[in-house]
Amino acid sequence: MNKKHPTNKKEQHLDFSTENLSKAVFVINKHAKAATQPKFLYELKKKALEKMIMDGKAEKLGLHFSRNPKLSRQTSTVLISCGDYLFHLPPTKEDVQTLSHLGDLDDQQRNPKTHFSLNQAKTLLMAYTGMKEPQQNNPYVTQSTKQYISPFAKRFGER
């Protein structure tokens, strides 16, 4: 009964337990599916799952047929188990050679509901993986203060 419980919210975010990390990956994956620019979220998910596999907190179970094949060709994804959650990642060449194929996706298996904010999940996984969020570029702000002058334009009075 000597379990250490985090006293404040900041400590709770950085609890790298398998349960917290798998919840964070679930939230990141869920938000990435609806995000307008999901590249960073999917990269964060991939790095976190790879690190969890290396740390022994997750394991690769096998290959599944992809639900949305590209270019009408059947492709497979790697099924990864961490805690009570299951995730998919694109396979590497080694995965295709070493993992057994499990067939089609099972629609009966669902991940449990999670109450974890996106900010908490991003903070936890960025601290766990060491990734940094890319800076947002505002397309409406000019990058340089120097004005563009056409090489064909002549100043007033040069004609």
Side-chain angles (χ1 to χ4, degrees):
M1 300 279 319
N2 246 354
K3 235 181 185 181
K4 184 183 175 192
H5 290 286
T7 53
N8 64 21
K9 287 189 176 195
K10 190 78 169 171
E11 286 180 30
Q12 187 177 1
H13 294 280
L14 301 179
D15 176 17
F16 297 137
S17 67
T18 303
E19 181 183 342
N20 271 356
L21 289 171
S22 56
K23 283 180 182 180
V25 171
F26 175 77
V27 170
I28 292 290
N29 191 44
K30 184 171 121 181
H31 280 83
K33 291 176 182 180
T36 56
Q37 295 177 337
K39 186 176 182 179
F40 172 71
L41 294 178
Y42 280 126
E43 188 66 27
L44 185 60
K45 170 195 168 188
K46 180 181 176 186
K47 295 282 185 199
L49 285 174
E50 287 172 353
K51 188 167 185 336
M52 289 173 73
I53 290 167
M54 288 179 59
D55 293 347
K57 295 181 179 193
E59 66 174 319
K60 295 180 181 181
L61 299 179
L63 298 169
H64 265 162
F65 284 124
S66 177
R67 186 163 291 165
N68 301 317
K70 293 180 181 175
L71 303 173
S72 299
R73 296 166 126 186
Q74 187 60 59
T75 56
S76 296
T77 57
V78 177
L79 179 65
I80 298 172
S81 169
C82 49
D84 296 333
Y85 294 83
L86 297 173
F87 301 103
H88 287 99
L89 281 180
T92 62
K93 287 182 183 178
E94 297 138 14
D95 292 336
V96 173
Q97 293 170 352
T98 58
L99 295 173
S100 62
H101 211 290
L102 305 173
D104 290 327
L105 288 161
D106 184 10
D107 289 330
Q108 301 303 317
Q109 286 183 316
R110 306 295 285 175
N111 284 329
K113 296 271 185 205
T114 302
H115 301 290
F116 212 78
S117 78
L118 178 61
N119 284 337
Q120 284 178 329
K122 280 170 55 174
T123 302
L124 178 69
L125 293 182
M126 287 187 329
Y128 183 66
T129 61
M131 285 182 69
K132 296 202 183 322
E133 191 166 9
Q135 295 296 319
Q136 296 290 330
N137 291 339
N138 187 345
Y140 301 109
V141 175
T142 58
Q143 294 297 326
S144 64
T145 56
K146 198 167 134 181
Q147 271 189 330
Y148 173 75
I149 300 174
S150 170
F152 304 107
K154 293 186 177 182
R155 292 187 195 140
F156 184 73
E158 288 184 359
R159 295 182 189 184

